[in-house]
Amino acid sequence: MCSPEHFAVEYAINPWMDVTTPVDRDLAVKQWDRLRETLVGLGHDVHLLTPEPGLPDMVYAANGAFMVDGSVYGARFKHEQRAAEAAAHHAFYEAQGWRFIAPSETNEGEGDFAYVPEAHGGLILAGHGFRTEVPAHAEAQEALGRPVVSLRLIDPRFYHLDVALAAIDDSNVVYFPGAFSAASQRVLTQLFPDAVLADDEDAMAFGLNLVSDGANVVLNSEATRLAGKLKAAGYHPVPVELGELKKGGGSVKCCIAELRH
């Protein structure tokens, strides 16, 4: 995770960003702190990346890389405003001693990659359409040695995979069908017949931008309907308020890079 102490909406690179809407940075830090404390309270270790001035979106730490079994496939951001974040993530992962594979193709880390370790032997789900380019899917497969399933995103509001789909345990996912092309919806139905399906209201509340440890699902507090569906499916929803960070087009998952080592 990376503190939002430099967070601001100074440019608009997704439909959620409005440069005329003021950001309360102090409140953003408080909300982020509560998210971090929630994860620690659930028994998870949280590593911190040092925020850098001039990179207001660094708080969205999930976008900097994608890690599977100790190997890290680095990010290469689509927009120049975020390009310099990649080097900070690279330095962090190398300092930990993990194997780092530098990307040649445009990709935004866990923004567009999700890992479901026990689904069909271990699958990487990969989004494309707005940020990550399709050739990055093949590059990730070579880098990480896991089969990659390409899914096409068709709604600019759901510009990253992680605002439309999330793994909720080692073999299942939750997603909003309307974010995907008809063919990608058919693929998801085939791969995950027991998936939890979210509706438009859940998706617009950033409910799918969540993290789960297989039992506890930490999600945006506005996504009350989705929390109910997850509870009915046997999970424990843990709501958190992230209203300020939503102004940049992100929520729980965007703030958390999962270290699968």
Side-chain angles (χ1 to χ4, degrees), residues 49 52 85-97 100:
L49 188 65
E52 297 181 13
E85 293 178 41
H89 287 273
H90 186 173
F92 168 81
Y93 286 102
E94 289 217 318
Q96 303 293 326
F100 187 91

Short mmCIF file of all heavy atoms in Angstrom, two decimals, residues 49 52 85-97 100:
data_model
loop_
_atom_site.label_atom_id
_atom_site.label_comp_id
_atom_site.label_asym_id
_atom_site.label_seq_id
_atom_site.Cartn_x
_atom_site.Cartn_y
_atom_site.Cartn_z
N LEU A 49 4.82 1.42 0.56
CA LEU A 49 5.61 2.06 -0.48
C LEU A 49 5.63 3.55 -0.18
O LEU A 49 4.61 4.13 0.20
CB LEU A 49 4.93 1.81 -1.84
CG LEU A 49 5.65 2.22 -3.11
CD1 LEU A 49 6.93 1.42 -3.30
CD2 LEU A 49 4.73 2.01 -4.31
N GLU A 52 5.55 9.57 -3.55
CA GLU A 52 6.45 10.56 -4.14
C GLU A 52 5.67 11.78 -4.62
O GLU A 52 4.62 11.63 -5.25
CB GLU A 52 7.23 9.94 -5.31
CG GLU A 52 8.12 8.79 -4.89
CD GLU A 52 8.92 8.19 -6.05
OE1 GLU A 52 8.96 8.82 -7.12
OE2 GLU A 52 9.48 7.10 -5.86
N GLU A 85 5.50 6.02 -11.89
CA GLU A 85 5.20 5.14 -10.77
C GLU A 85 5.86 3.77 -10.93
O GLU A 85 6.21 3.12 -9.94
CB GLU A 85 3.68 4.94 -10.65
CG GLU A 85 2.90 6.18 -10.27
CD GLU A 85 1.40 5.91 -10.23
OE1 GLU A 85 0.99 4.83 -9.74
OE2 GLU A 85 0.63 6.76 -10.68
N ALA A 86 6.02 3.33 -12.17
CA ALA A 86 6.54 1.98 -12.42
C ALA A 86 7.91 1.78 -11.79
O ALA A 86 8.20 0.70 -11.24
CB ALA A 86 6.59 1.72 -13.92
N ALA A 87 8.76 2.80 -11.85
CA ALA A 87 10.12 2.67 -11.30
C ALA A 87 10.10 2.50 -9.79
O ALA A 87 10.90 1.73 -9.22
CB ALA A 87 10.95 3.90 -11.68
N ALA A 88 9.18 3.18 -9.11
CA ALA A 88 9.07 3.06 -7.65
C ALA A 88 8.66 1.64 -7.26
O ALA A 88 9.19 1.06 -6.30
CB ALA A 88 8.07 4.07 -7.10
N HIS A 89 7.75 1.06 -8.01
CA HIS A 89 7.33 -0.31 -7.74
C HIS A 89 8.46 -1.30 -8.04
O HIS A 89 8.71 -2.23 -7.27
CB HIS A 89 6.08 -0.66 -8.57
CG HIS A 89 4.84 -0.01 -8.06
ND1 HIS A 89 4.05 -0.57 -7.09
CD2 HIS A 89 4.26 1.18 -8.37
CE1 HIS A 89 3.03 0.23 -6.83
NE2 HIS A 89 3.13 1.29 -7.59
N HIS A 90 9.14 -1.08 -9.14
CA HIS A 90 10.27 -1.95 -9.51
C HIS A 90 11.29 -1.98 -8.38
O HIS A 90 11.75 -3.05 -7.95
CB HIS A 90 10.90 -1.43 -10.80
CG HIS A 90 11.97 -2.30 -11.37
ND1 HIS A 90 12.55 -2.08 -12.60
CD2 HIS A 90 12.59 -3.41 -10.87
CE1 HIS A 90 13.45 -3.01 -12.83
NE2 HIS A 90 13.50 -3.82 -11.79
N ALA A 91 11.63 -0.80 -7.87
CA ALA A 91 12.62 -0.71 -6.79
C ALA A 91 12.13 -1.43 -5.54
O ALA A 91 12.91 -2.13 -4.86
CB ALA A 91 12.91 0.76 -6.47
N PHE A 92 10.85 -1.32 -5.22
CA PHE A 92 10.30 -1.99 -4.04
C PHE A 92 10.43 -3.50 -4.17
O PHE A 92 10.93 -4.18 -3.26
CB PHE A 92 8.83 -1.61 -3.84
CG PHE A 92 8.12 -2.46 -2.82
CD1 PHE A 92 8.25 -2.20 -1.47
CD2 PHE A 92 7.36 -3.55 -3.22
CE1 PHE A 92 7.62 -3.00 -0.52
CE2 PHE A 92 6.72 -4.36 -2.28
CZ PHE A 92 6.86 -4.08 -0.93
N TYR A 93 10.01 -4.05 -5.29
CA TYR A 93 10.01 -5.50 -5.45
C TYR A 93 11.44 -6.05 -5.49
O TYR A 93 11.73 -7.10 -4.91
CB TYR A 93 9.23 -5.90 -6.70
CG TYR A 93 7.73 -5.77 -6.52
CD1 TYR A 93 7.03 -4.68 -7.05
CD2 TYR A 93 7.01 -6.71 -5.79
CE1 TYR A 93 5.66 -4.56 -6.87
CE2 TYR A 93 5.65 -6.60 -5.61
CZ TYR A 93 4.98 -5.52 -6.15
OH TYR A 93 3.62 -5.40 -5.95
N GLU A 94 12.34 -5.34 -6.14
CA GLU A 94 13.73 -5.82 -6.19
C GLU A 94 14.37 -5.76 -4.80
O GLU A 94 15.15 -6.64 -4.45
CB GLU A 94 14.52 -4.99 -7.20
CG GLU A 94 14.12 -5.30 -8.64
CD GLU A 94 15.28 -5.30 -9.61
OE1 GLU A 94 16.13 -4.40 -9.50
OE2 GLU A 94 15.33 -6.21 -10.47
N ALA A 95 14.02 -4.73 -4.02
CA ALA A 95 14.57 -4.62 -2.66
C ALA A 95 14.14 -5.79 -1.79
O ALA A 95 14.85 -6.19 -0.86
CB ALA A 95 14.15 -3.30 -2.03
N GLN A 96 12.97 -6.37 -2.08
CA GLN A 96 12.48 -7.52 -1.33
C GLN A 96 13.15 -8.82 -1.78
O GLN A 96 12.97 -9.86 -1.15
CB GLN A 96 10.97 -7.66 -1.50
CG GLN A 96 10.17 -6.42 -1.09
CD GLN A 96 10.23 -6.13 0.39
OE1 GLN A 96 10.29 -7.03 1.21
NE2 GLN A 96 10.24 -4.85 0.74
N GLY A 97 13.87 -8.76 -2.90
CA GLY A 97 14.56 -9.94 -3.39
C GLY A 97 13.72 -10.85 -4.26
O GLY A 97 14.10 -11.99 -4.54
N PHE A 100 11.91 -10.14 -10.64
CA PHE A 100 11.16 -9.08 -11.32
C PHE A 100 11.35 -9.20 -12.83
O PHE A 100 12.48 -9.29 -13.32
CB PHE A 100 11.62 -7.70 -10.85
CG PHE A 100 10.78 -6.56 -11.37
CD1 PHE A 100 9.69 -6.09 -10.66
CD2 PHE A 100 11.08 -5.96 -12.59
CE1 PHE A 100 8.91 -5.05 -11.14
CE2 PHE A 100 10.30 -4.92 -13.09
CZ PHE A 100 9.21 -4.46 -12.36
#
